[in-house]
Amino acid sequence: MGSDVKSDYFNFYPADFLSDENVVVMNNREIGCYIKLLCFHWREGSIPSDSNRLARLCGESSEEFSEIWINLAPCFKERKGRLYNKRLSAEASRLENHIEKRKAAGRAGAQARWQEDCDRNANAMRFNGNINLTKPNLEFNLNNDSTDSAGRHFSNLISLGILGNIEETAKSIEEIQKKKPKKKPFNPFQWIQSKVNKKSHPEAIESSLVALLNGWDRARDPWKYVERIFKSENQNLDERDAGIETAELKKEISKFWESAGDILLKSSEKKSEDESVRDRKAELAEQLKKIGNGGKL
């Protein structure tokens, strides 16, 4: 992706893809090569401009790829010896900007929010002590072990200011419920507490509450409405984070084997040197033995 922000997947929009006139004129073989190059582009941040290397990336011969490239070329622009796809580069920038904005907003919001002394203890009590809203570092206090993947969501994500957003959205839901009550009253803090107890994804909690707030008029039963949204959001975010964690793990494994390879190579070289020294010593010893016995070299 050409930045510090890495992801194993990118957003794919079938309607946009199939309606692109550059894609419409491609045959199935060309489309396959195009998608393959987009995947390499996403992983590396760009693709090489050399046609022979592009052919090898696509698994095609140079001669056949020269024909394929005629319809693929309009999809890429060259810059400093590398090729870039405008739409895919924009997706990478969008993802990077989204993450940076969330981090910045979280830091700014946390600093402003937690400098105020209003209702801290009351808010902490509303979460029955499982979430401590009085701490300025916005940590989720989990009663259970948080070393598993689900628990790590809290320590990794809450620094983005999600906790404050969840709290503010819950308060907004309480306000709109006073003006537009439902047949079955909805307690946002009770619902949040149930998700925290299960160590659900914080972003899923946040986005589900926002969706409920925006769709309050359409939600006949707020409990079922928010639960339906949450189930989908929680699964999608878990899969996204699992992909990111897998990519990071692969990177660490790769570094490990690179280091191990260097160690083994040095060990092998040293072993070869030791064997050469032993062979030379044995040769000299044999020659000295012959000299001592009156033999000839």
Side-chain angles (χ1 to χ4, degrees), residues 143-274:
N143 293 332
N144 301 320
D145 177 33
S146 61
T147 58
D148 59 304
S149 178
R152 284 199 299 274
H153 290 315
F154 293 89
S155 60
N156 292 340
L157 296 174
I158 214 61
S159 61
L160 303 181
I162 292 176
L163 179 55
N165 296 339
I166 291 173
E167 178 191 358
E168 293 302 320
T169 306
K171 290 180 179 178
S172 298
I173 291 174
E174 286 186 327
E175 291 299 318
I176 196 172
Q177 190 163 212
K178 292 177 181 177
K179 300 176 182 177
K180 301 178 179 179
K182 297 292 184 180
K183 185 176 181 180
K184 187 176 181 180
F186 179 72
N187 185 331
F189 289 99
Q190 180 184 344
W191 182 82
I192 294 168
Q193 185 65 62
S194 69
K195 300 309 175 187
V196 171
N197 291 343
K198 295 179 181 179
K199 294 188 286 190
S200 303
H201 200 295
E203 284 186 290
I205 298 174
E206 177 194 13
S207 58
S208 300
L209 288 174
V210 170
L212 174 61
L213 180 62
N214 294 333
W216 185 259
D217 292 337
R218 299 189 301 273
R220 296 182 61 183
D221 185 334
W223 294 92
K224 291 182 179 179
Y225 186 90
V226 73
E227 197 63 34
R228 184 172 62 251
I229 296 171
F230 171 80
K231 185 176 180 180
S232 175
E233 287 289 307
N234 195 57
Q235 180 178 347
N236 292 338
L237 289 165
D238 278 342
E239 291 175 354
R240 183 202 69 181
D241 287 358
I244 295 174
E245 289 178 3
T246 300
E248 292 174 349
L249 179 59
K250 288 180 180 178
K251 187 187 297 183
E252 291 300 319
I253 293 175
S254 177
K255 289 181 181 178
F256 169 79
W257 283 117
E258 287 178 4
S259 301
D262 291 340
I263 293 173
L264 291 173
L265 179 61
K266 291 178 182 178
S267 176
S268 176
E269 291 173 349
K270 187 177 185 302
K271 184 177 180 181
S272 297
E273 292 174 0
D274 292 343

Side-chain angles (χ1 to χ4, degrees), residues 117-132:
D117 293 327
C118 60
D119 298 330
R120 290 184 178 181
N121 293 331
N123 288 332
M125 291 173 64
R126 295 174 85 173
F127 282 84
N128 299 329
N130 286 340
I131 301 180
N132 189 341

Side-chain angles (χ1 to χ4, degrees), residues 16-81:
D16 292 349
F17 184 80
L18 295 176
S19 62
D20 187 335
E21 65 179 35
N22 290 323
V23 175
V24 171
V25 299
M26 296 180 189
N27 59 38
N28 288 339
R29 187 178 184 183
E30 292 166 345
I31 289 175
C33 290
Y34 179 42
I35 292 177
K36 199 169 185 179
L37 291 177
L38 289 178
C39 292
F40 280 112
H41 184 304
W42 183 258
R43 193 180 71 176
E44 305 297 334
S46 61
I47 55 175
S49 59
D50 180 74
S51 60
N52 291 327
R53 294 190 65 187
L54 291 174
R56 293 189 66 180
L57 289 177
C58 292
E60 302 283 350
S61 67
S62 298
E63 294 76 13
E64 292 176 330
F65 186 75
S66 62
E67 294 294 325
I68 294 173
W69 183 245
I70 293 175
N71 284 332
L72 269 61
C75 301
F76 298 92
K77 298 295 182 183
E78 183 175 0
R79 187 169 72 248
K80 297 181 180 180

